[in-house]
Every structure is written in structure tokens, then in C-alpha cells.
């Protein structure tokens, strides 16, 4: 019997993962992808979040038929369907080796633990992690001198952490309860129905030709680029520096959408062709890195709005969209703790006021992230089809800073005050892009409903669309159809509006709320969410001050 036909039990799969094997389930087949990790153009983190899970819908959404056929070389057998997901190790799942003497899987109900990983139970991100963090913080508060003040401080710290933990737990529990009541049940039958109808929708979009790119639309886009570039050069020549910087900023704003399209391979659907388009526009024309973007963005699409895992909502110490961030969570993407320290508390108290000013500076942060990616060989693929992309992007950085930094800023503009004004105005104009990137997620759910939630339901639950007239679609660059885009990331941008009506019908059919706001309403929702979290910080600080005063004055009650 071929090794590709070998049947694997769930217990055996658990044992393989416990031994460090990278196992994913794809259409009932078992794939061991250990050797593919350093080759994957989208980085290793997106694969690690699929370990022990049925990744059929995620793989289908992100990969071409050719790429899926290529994956057959990693097949080591089959499993019974439907597959019951494990919680991936990167998300805290724990696994038993085959040598373990624990009871078999069959002794547990599959519904006993929403994060079930066989007999082992992963640490709860709501309870255990906070208790451990609290214990560590309490140990660090010791001064070596057992004075009344130190005892009071220690007691206050302990009780503050307990109250802090309780508040967070209550907030998270309320969010989960709200989502569970508003979305389809998480039982196998309900989620299987969502999955089945989502796949039928995918087939319908393919049948209607919506995955075929309308290249004539890019001809119109190219015309806009040429007009803005001509205006940028003309105003620069006649020394209208502010007008020139505005046109350059708008050009970068529109070009970012083409980078987004190319990064998802939604232009030609060819890996090398779209990759070259993305690298040319991002690095040579914009000074950014599409390689970094792929590594970051693929993870965002898989674990959307997860505080511990989604880099697109991990903006500490500047922003926190959930009280979960108050627990100094560890980012699995950045491999570091996002500290909720004094700086975070100060900034987050005013985050709803800082939202627009900080996002206007967002492009400078993209430069930093691009260079951190390009200078770290461990982040970029070192083998496989994308091994050379890092070097092309490095060359692009040199070209960009030559034409923009040297020839434009330094040679074409005579005074330092004008140079600084040109630099900041051109970059502040692109702040609208960062508003759009955060708009569709900051106001949406960040609750984790467990490993049994389907890909389609999670994408819709954590994403919203922005309603606008068709003639304004080019300004939003397709980001106003985030629900559609998250369900079908390889769908060409100019077909998203046509696909939206089908997605709405799908949502009505399966009972998933489809959230869509106007641009103004969406901004109000985001500011409101940021304001709510800011108020929570202020409330905790007031309670802490009152509690500290009561303890010092001896009014503490047990």
C-alpha cells in the first residue's frame, strides 16, 4: 500500500505533532510540511497556525490549483472526515506523545473543551496566563524589607492583579457570549453547513468568471498613476513643493492597492509575474517590502483580529482594541511580550485622540518594518521559488532612496525647511491608507470562539465592509470590500463589488450577520471602540488610586 494511502488516527496525528512534526489536514489528506517551512513564500508563521487543523478552506483561498497540486508531494496518508481540529502549538495547544500513558481520545467528548487537543488541555489565555503573569509581577514587587507600607503595597498589587484579571475575564466572556448568540452555533453540524455553502459560493464565483482579472481596469488605474506622476514632477519643477508632495503622496496611496493585489496574486494569478509587479511597485517606487507584507498579511488573514496572533492589531504601546492587551500578551508573530507598561497606559488613555495623527505617520513605520525584514535572513525565504526576492527588494530600496531621497528631496528642493515639509506632507497624505487598513477590523470582534469555528464564519465575524458609491471604489482600492476579500483573497479587486451580492446572499442563507457601514459611520465605530478601551484604562487607574489610599490608611477590608 502506498504511503499516501496510509490511514492515520487522530491519536497518531497528535503523537506526530507532539514529536515536533508539522502536520496539517488538507481535503482528508495528511500533509507533513516540515521541509516546506523555509521555502514558503508567505513565511512560516502562516503554516504554523494551521498545524493540527483542517486547512482545506485556507489553502484553497490563498493558493492556485497549481500550488495545491504541488502540495501532493508532502502527503503521507489520509484521515477520516470530518476532521476534528487541534489547537496549534503556536496558539498554546499541548500534545501527548504516542508513548504517553494518558487515556485515549475516545474517553473525552469532542465538545468537552472548545480548544480540545486530545487529552491535553492548552493553557487558557484568559485565566492561567494571567495568573502566571500576576505571580511573576508579585514576586518582582518584593523589596526585602517587610514594612507596613511594603506589605500594603504587596497586598494592593496582589488584589489589583486579581481585580484586573477578573475585569478582563468578564470583558472577554461578555464578548464571546455576544458572538455566540449572534452567529451560527459551533457544533459540527452547524459549522459543516457553513463550510459546505461557502465552498458552493466559491464554485459559483469561479463559474461566473469573477476570478478572471479585468485588465482594462488596470489600464484606467495606470492612467491615474501617470497623471499624478506628471503633476508631481510638474509642480516640483515650478517649485510648488506642497502641491508636488500632495500628488506624490496620492500616487503612493493608489500604488499601494496594486501592491496589495500583486501580493495576493490576484492580477495575473502567476506567482513570479505578480511577485515582480509587487516588488517593483513596493520597493522601487515606494521604498517598502512586499516580502514583509506577505509574511505579515498572510498571518493576518488566517488569525484575523486575534490579540495574541494577528500583527495587524498589535500596535502596543500606541493602540489597544481590547482589554486583552492589558495583560501584557505575548505576540506569537513578533515573538515578544507586548508590555502594558506606564508608556502604554498613558498613550492608550488618549488613543482615540491619537488615532489619526499617528496613522498619518504610518508610512515611516512601514520603512522600519521593511528594513527589519530585509536585514534579517531568518524572516525572508532562504530557499524555494522566492529565495531571490529579498535581494531584488534590497536593490529596490537603493533605487528608491536614490530617486526620492537624493534626487527629489536633496537635489530638487533648495532649503531644509522645504525638504522637511515635502517629506511630511507626502507621507501624511498616505495616512488615509492606514485608516482604511484599520477601519474594517478595529471595531469588529476580537474574541476567540475556539478551534471548531469555520474559516468563513471567522472571516465575516472579524471584518466589515465600507459602503460607498461605485465611482469612489478606486479611492478605497478594494479595501472597502474587506468581508468579500477575506473570504476570497485571490479575487481581483475590480470584481469585488460584483461578488458582494453573492456573499450577502450566503450570509443570509447561513445566518451570519453581514456588517457594512458608511466610511463616516465606520470611523465613528473605530473611535468609539478606542474610546471604550481608553475609558477602561482610566477606570482601572482611578480604582487603583482609591485602593492604594485605603490600604495605606488602614481601611482595607477582607
Amino acid at each position: 500500500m502506498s504511503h499516501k494511502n496510509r490511514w492515520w488516527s487522530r491519536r497518531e496525528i497528535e503523537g506526530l505533532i507532539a514529536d515536533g512534526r508539522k502536520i496539517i489536514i488538507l481535503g482528508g489528506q495528511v500533509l507533513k510540511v516540515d521541509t516546506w517551512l523555509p521555502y514558503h513564500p508567505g513565511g512560516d508563521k502562516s503554516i504554523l497556525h494551521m498545524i493540527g487543523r483542517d486547512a482545506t478552506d485556507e489553502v484553497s483561498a490563498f493558493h492556485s490549483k497549481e500550488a495545491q497540486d504541488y502540495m501532493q508531494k508532502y502527503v503521507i496518508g489520509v484521515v477520516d472526515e470530518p476532521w476534528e481540529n487541534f489547537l496549534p502549538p503556536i496558539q498554546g495547544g499541548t500534545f501527548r506523545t504516542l508513548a504517553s500513558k494518558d487515556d485515549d481520545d475516545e474517553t473525552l467528548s469532542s465538545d468537552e473543551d472548545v480548544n480540545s487537543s486530545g487529552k491535553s488541555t492548552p493553557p487558557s489565555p484568559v485565566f492561567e496566563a494571567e495568573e502566571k503573569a500576576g505571580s511573576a509581577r508579585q514576586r518582582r514587587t518584593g523589596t526585602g524589607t517587610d514594612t507596613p507600607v511594603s506589605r500594603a503595597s504587596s497586598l494592593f498589587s496582589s488584589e489589583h492583579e486579581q481585580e484586573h484579571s477578573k475585569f478582563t475575564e468578564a470583558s472577554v466572556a461578555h464578548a464571546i457570549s455576544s458572538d455566540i448568540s449572534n452567529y451560527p452555533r459551533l457544533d459540527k453540524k452547524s459549522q459543516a453547513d457553513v463550510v459546505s455553502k461557502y465552498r458552493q459560493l466559491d464554485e459559483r464565483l469561479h463559474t461566473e468568471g469573477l476570478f478572471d482579472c479585468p485588465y482594462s481596469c488596470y489600464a484606467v488605474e495606470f492612467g491615474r498613476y501617470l497623471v499624478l506622476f506628471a503633476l508631481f514632477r510638474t509642480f516640483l519643477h515650478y517649485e510648488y513643493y506642497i502641491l508636488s508632495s500632495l500628488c506624490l503622496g496620492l500616487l503612493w496611496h493608489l500604488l499601494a492597492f496594486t501592491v496589495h493585489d500583486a501580493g495576493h496574486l490576484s492580477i495575473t494569478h502567476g506567482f513570479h509575474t505578480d511577485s515582480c509587479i509587487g516588488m517593483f511597485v513596493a520597493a522601487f517606487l515606494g521604498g517598502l517590502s512586499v516580502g514583509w507584507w506577505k509574511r505579515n498579511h498572510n498571518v493576518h488573514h488566517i488569525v484575523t483580529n486575534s490579540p495574541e496572533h494577528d500583527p495587524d492589531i498589535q500596535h502596543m504601546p500606541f493602540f489597544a482594541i481590547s482589554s486583552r492587551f492589558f495583560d501584557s500578551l505575548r505576540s506569537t508573530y513578533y515573538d515578544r511580550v507586548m508590555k502594558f507598561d506606564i508608556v502604554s497606559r498613558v498613550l492608550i488613555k488618549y488613543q482615540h485622540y491619537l488615532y489619526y495623527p499617528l496613522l498619518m505617520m504610518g508610512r515611516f513605520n512601514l520603512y522600519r518594518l521593511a528594513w527589519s525584514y530585509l536585514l534579517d535572513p531568518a524572516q525572508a525565504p532562504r530557499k524555494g521559488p522566492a529565495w531571490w526576492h529579498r535581494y531584488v527588494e534590497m536593490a529596490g530600496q537603493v533605487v528608491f532612496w536614490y530617486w526620492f531621497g537624493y534626487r527629489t528631496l536633496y537635489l530638487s528642493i533648495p532649503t531644509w525647511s522645504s525638504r522637511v515639509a515635502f517629506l511630511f506632507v507626502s507621507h501624511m497624505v498616505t495616512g488615509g491608507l492606514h485608516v482604511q487598513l484599520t477601519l474594517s477590523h478595529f471595531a469588529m470582534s476580537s474574541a476567540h470562539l475556539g478551534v471548531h469555528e469555520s474559516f468563513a464564519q471567522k472571516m465575516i465575524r472579524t471584518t466589515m465592509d465600507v459602503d460607498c458609491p461605485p465611482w469612489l471604489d478606486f479611492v478605497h482600492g478594494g479595501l472597502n470590500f474587506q468581508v468579500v476579500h477575506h473570504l476570497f483573497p485571490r479575487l481581483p479587486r475590480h470584481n469585488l463589488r460584483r461578488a458582494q451580492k453573492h456573499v450577502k446572499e450566503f450570509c443570509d442563507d447561513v445566518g451570519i450577520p453581514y456588517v457594512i457601514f458608511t466610511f463616516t459611520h465606520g470611523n465613528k465605530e473605530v473611535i468609539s471602540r478606542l474610546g471604550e478601551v481608553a475609558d477602561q484604562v482610566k477606570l482601572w487607574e482611578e480604582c487603583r488610586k482609591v485602593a492604594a489610599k485605603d490600604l495605606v490608611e488602614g481601611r482595607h477590608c477582607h
Side-chain angles (χ1 to χ4, degrees):
M1 181 177 67
S2 169
H3 73 280
K4 291 190 175 183
N5 294 323
R6 185 206 192 281
W7 181 82
W8 293 85
S9 69
R10 190 169 187 273
R11 182 69 184 87
E12 288 175 315
I13 297 296
E14 180 186 2
L16 289 176
I17 298 174
D19 289 336
R21 303 291 184 266
K22 307 301 184 289
I23 307 295
I24 66 173
I25 309 302
L26 180 61
Q29 294 180 307
V30 181
L31 275 64
K32 184 168 77 70
V33 296
D34 304 57
T35 57
W36 178 241
L37 288 183
Y39 293 83
H40 188 228
D44 60 341
K45 294 293 176 70
S46 55
I47 294 179
L48 295 178
H49 282 289
M50 289 290 98
I51 301 303
R53 294 178 54 88
D54 184 341
T56 304
D57 289 333
E58 288 86 344
V59 168
S60 176
F62 288 99
H63 299 83
S64 66
K65 183 65 169 60
E66 292 74 20
Q68 294 178 55
D69 290 340
Y70 178 81
M71 295 176 193
Q72 289 297 306
K73 67 182 294 185
Y74 299 102
V75 174
I76 62 171
V78 296
V79 293
D80 288 335
E81 292 192 276
W83 173 255
E84 188 176 332
N85 289 331
F86 289 108
L87 184 71
I90 193 174
Q91 298 181 16
T94 56
F95 297 78
R96 299 167 297 167
T97 63
L98 289 176
S100 172
K101 300 299 182 181
D102 290 342
D103 295 334
D104 291 333
D105 279 341
E106 287 74 18
T107 62
L108 278 180
S109 165
S110 61
D111 295 325
E112 183 177 23
D113 177 11
V114 75
N115 290 333
S116 173
S117 58
K119 179 66 177 175
S120 304
T121 302
S124 166
V126 180
F127 302 102
E128 296 174 23
E130 293 170 3
E131 291 171 3
K132 292 176 182 177
S135 298
R137 284 189 287 266
Q138 291 168 30
R139 285 194 297 272
R140 287 196 295 270
T141 59
T143 62
T145 306
D146 190 20
T147 64
V149 173
S150 68
R151 286 196 301 270
S153 177
S154 177
L155 179 60
F156 162 69
S157 178
S158 175
E159 294 206 345
H160 172 68
E161 295 299 338
Q162 293 174 10
E163 292 300 319
H164 179 183
S165 179
K166 290 178 181 178
F167 191 95
T168 304
E169 291 166 17
S171 177
V172 172
H174 174 74
I176 292 175
S177 175
S178 176
D179 281 358
I180 289 177
S181 65
N182 291 321
Y183 289 85
R185 292 169 55 84
L186 297 175
D187 60 89
K188 293 180 181 179
K189 184 178 182 302
S190 298
Q191 290 303 303
D193 183 56
V194 174
V195 170
S196 174
K197 291 179 179 178
Y198 166 66
R199 294 175 183 176
Q200 292 173 24
L201 173 61
D202 180 61
E203 291 180 6
R204 187 181 312 130
L205 298 184
H206 274 93
T207 300
E208 293 192 10
L210 294 184
F211 279 86
D212 299 331
C213 182
Y215 292 112
S216 59
C217 294
Y218 278 102
V220 177
E221 298 288 348
F222 190 68
R224 294 191 183 104
Y225 303 156
L226 286 179
V227 169
L228 286 172
F229 179 77
L231 290 173
F232 150 62
R233 294 297 302 169
T234 301
F235 286 134
L236 184 66
H237 176 74
Y238 288 104
E239 300 182 357
Y240 294 105
Y241 299 125
I242 297 301
L243 290 176
S244 176
S245 63
L246 283 170
C247 292
L248 179 58
L250 289 172
L251 176 60
W252 281 336
H253 174 83
L254 296 183
L255 285 174
F257 302 136
T258 297
V259 175
H260 183 256
D261 298 340
H264 279 295
L265 309 184
S266 65
I267 301 177
T268 69
H269 299 307
F271 174 75
H272 290 294
T273 305
D274 279 4
S275 294
C276 287
I277 293 172
M279 287 187 291
F280 174 74
V281 176
F284 289 80
L285 301 184
L288 307 180
S289 168
V290 74
W292 162 81
W293 178 88
K294 284 184 179 182
R295 188 174 191 268
N296 176 286
H297 200 66
N298 285 346
V299 173
H300 160 69
H301 268 266
I302 290 172
V303 287
T304 309
N305 264 27
S306 172
E308 298 94 338
H309 312 303
D310 182 0
D312 274 15
I313 63 168
Q314 294 176 346
H315 302 297
M316 297 288 282
F318 302 105
F319 299 121
I321 66 168
S322 167
S323 58
R324 290 290 309 283
F325 287 100
F326 299 173
D327 294 317
S328 294
L329 300 176
R330 181 172 186 81
S331 166
T332 59
Y333 180 82
Y334 293 109
D335 292 322
R336 61 175 174 81
V337 174
M338 299 175 287
K339 294 182 180 179
F340 186 64
D341 52 18
I342 182 63
V343 176
S344 303
R345 291 197 293 272
V346 171
L347 292 176
I348 291 173
K349 278 194 297 185
Y350 304 102
Q351 63 178 355
H352 46 312
Y353 299 114
L354 297 173
Y355 177 67
Y356 295 112
L358 287 175
L359 292 189
M360 293 173 76
M361 299 293 106
R363 192 173 185 87
F364 293 104
N365 187 49
L366 294 183
Y367 293 145
R368 178 187 68 83
L369 291 168
W371 278 107
S372 67
Y373 171 82
L374 294 174
L375 295 178
D376 183 1
Q379 292 191 48
R382 301 180 297 282
K383 304 176 182 179
W387 70 267
W388 51 277
H389 290 186
R390 175 169 170 255
Y391 303 103
V392 173
E393 291 196 292
M394 284 182 170
Q397 293 291 331
V398 173
V399 171
F400 171 78
W401 288 108
Y402 172 74
W403 77 258
F404 174 68
Y406 179 65
R407 296 198 62 86
T408 300
L409 277 182
Y410 185 72
L411 292 184
S412 301
I413 303 176
T415 66
W416 278 104
S417 59
S418 296
R419 291 168 185 158
V420 171
F422 187 98
L423 175 68
F424 277 93
V425 170
S426 62
H427 285 58
M428 290 167 66
V429 170
T430 65
L433 172 65
H434 301 279
V435 172
Q436 290 175 304
L437 292 172
T438 59
L439 181 63
S440 294
H441 299 294
F442 270 26
M444 298 303 291
S445 172
S446 60
H448 175 60
L449 299 190
V451 297
H452 300 310
E453 184 178 29
S454 63
F455 168 75
Q457 179 170 313
K458 181 175 177 61
M459 292 303 101
I460 302 171
R461 182 174 60 83
T462 55
T463 309
M464 76 174 186
D465 275 0
V466 175
D467 190 20
C468 74
W471 64 272
L472 272 180
D473 282 350
F474 81 96
V475 175
H476 294 276
L479 299 183
N480 49 322
F481 301 107
Q482 282 286 330
V483 174
V484 187
H485 171 64
H486 267 253
L487 289 174
F488 307 102
R490 297 177 65 250
L491 193 72
R493 177 205 334 169
H494 302 95
N495 291 338
L496 291 173
R497 181 172 287 276
R498 290 172 58 195
Q500 186 185 53
K501 64 178 182 179
H502 296 294
V503 174
K504 287 182 176 179
E505 291 171 357
F506 160 75
C507 289
D508 290 339
D509 190 18
V510 297
I512 298 179
Y514 190 103
V515 181
I516 181 169
F517 293 128
T518 64
F519 184 76
T520 301
H521 190 179
N523 274 265
K524 289 180 179 178
E525 290 290 324
V526 170
I527 296 300
S528 176
R529 168 66 63 84
L530 295 174
E532 289 173 4
V533 177
D535 288 340
Q536 291 177 3
V537 177
K538 296 174 185 177
L539 177 62
W540 281 347
E541 289 195 345
E542 288 301 317
C543 292
R544 186 171 187 172
K545 290 176 183 178
V546 172
K549 182 178 180 181
D550 288 348
L551 284 169
V552 171
E553 295 179 358
R555 295 200 299 268
H556 172 70
C557 296
H558 293 283

